[in-house]
Amino acid sequence: VGLTREKGMTIGDVGLTAYYNNRQQGEKSNRSAVMLEKVFREDEKATWAAHYLGIEYGSKHKYEEAMKWAKIVLQREPKNPEYCRSWHVMVHCAIRTQGLDVAEKMLYQGLACHPNYSDLHLLRVIYALARLDIVRHSEEGQVYNYFAPQVSHTIDYPAVAQSLQIHW
């Protein structure tokens, strides 16, 4: 209410957040994945569709499928700031499926491409805690404090901690 849209303004510029209950989110996610896969089948150059498919499958805990789509994006446009969340998807899924060593390599590749992407810094902190080498990784704590106001709260912290066997 009261917002006006100027020419060239996107929904991201407005800064809106949508919330769904579990049933609504499940329906939206299933519908979105079907539509996005159709778009990609019809136009394999639609990198944006692959990006959102990675996010959708990651949110459904379908890690291998999410990584497949994120990999397409990152092979095509690893440094495109519009697709930096695909790095988050790759690292998050790698932590869950391939272990910390593989995830660390992906994490630092992503940070090389997007050094100011706060979610990757948060994953750095989670990675450091997982290695239980907090003294050596104390820089991560400082980085997190710097980026904390910008961190997106899309990570299921207890689930990640449980999968990494971290006791919060």
Side-chain angles (χ1 to χ4, degrees), residues 9 12 16-17 22-23 38-40 45 51 55 63 75 77 84 89 92 101 106 110 119 126 136 156 160 162:
M9 186 180 230
L16 297 176
T17 303
N22 287 342
R23 184 185 61 78
K38 181 180 179 194
V39 166
F40 195 80
K45 292 181 182 179
H51 173 70
I55 293 168
Y63 304 119
Q75 286 175 338
E77 300 193 49
C84 60
V89 170
H92 182 72
D101 292 335
M106 289 179 191
D119 281 1
I126 291 171
R136 190 176 117 216
D156 181 353
V160 172
Q162 182 181 2

Side-chain angles (χ1 to χ4, degrees), residues 84-95:
C84 60
R85 190 162 176 202
S86 284
W87 281 106
H88 177 269
V89 170
M90 283 293 284
V91 173
H92 182 72
C93 292
I95 287 172

Side-chain angles (χ1 to χ4, degrees), residues 18-126:
Y19 296 94
Y20 300 92
N21 65 32
N22 287 342
R23 184 185 61 78
Q24 290 171 318
Q25 181 61 35
E27 291 170 4
K28 174 192 170 283
S29 183
N30 291 335
R31 185 177 63 247
S32 296
V34 170
M35 289 188 296
L36 289 167
E37 285 185 19
K38 181 180 179 194
V39 166
F40 195 80
R41 277 193 310 272
E42 293 173 359
D43 179 9
E44 290 191 6
K45 292 181 182 179
T47 303
W48 64 270
H51 173 70
Y52 288 110
L53 278 162
I55 293 168
E56 286 294 332
Y57 284 114
S59 72
K60 293 178 181 180
H61 308 287
K62 295 183 177 182
Y63 304 119
E64 296 295 332
E65 190 73 11
M67 288 179 74
K68 176 185 99 173
W69 291 106
K71 186 176 182 179
I72 290 169
V73 174
L74 299 177
Q75 286 175 338
R76 293 177 181 185
E77 300 193 49
K79 294 186 177 188
N80 185 333
E82 291 181 33
Y83 302 135
C84 60
R85 190 162 176 202
S86 284
W87 281 106
H88 177 269
V89 170
M90 283 293 284
V91 173
H92 182 72
C93 292
I95 287 172
R96 298 290 191 115
T97 62
Q98 298 178 330
L100 293 174
D101 292 335
V102 173
E104 179 184 34
K105 290 176 186 170
M106 289 179 191
L107 174 61
Y108 286 101
Q109 287 174 353
L111 284 167
C113 294
H114 304 283
N116 295 324
Y117 184 48
S118 57
D119 281 1
L120 290 179
H121 287 285
L122 178 58
L123 287 173
R124 251 177 110 184
V125 172
I126 291 171

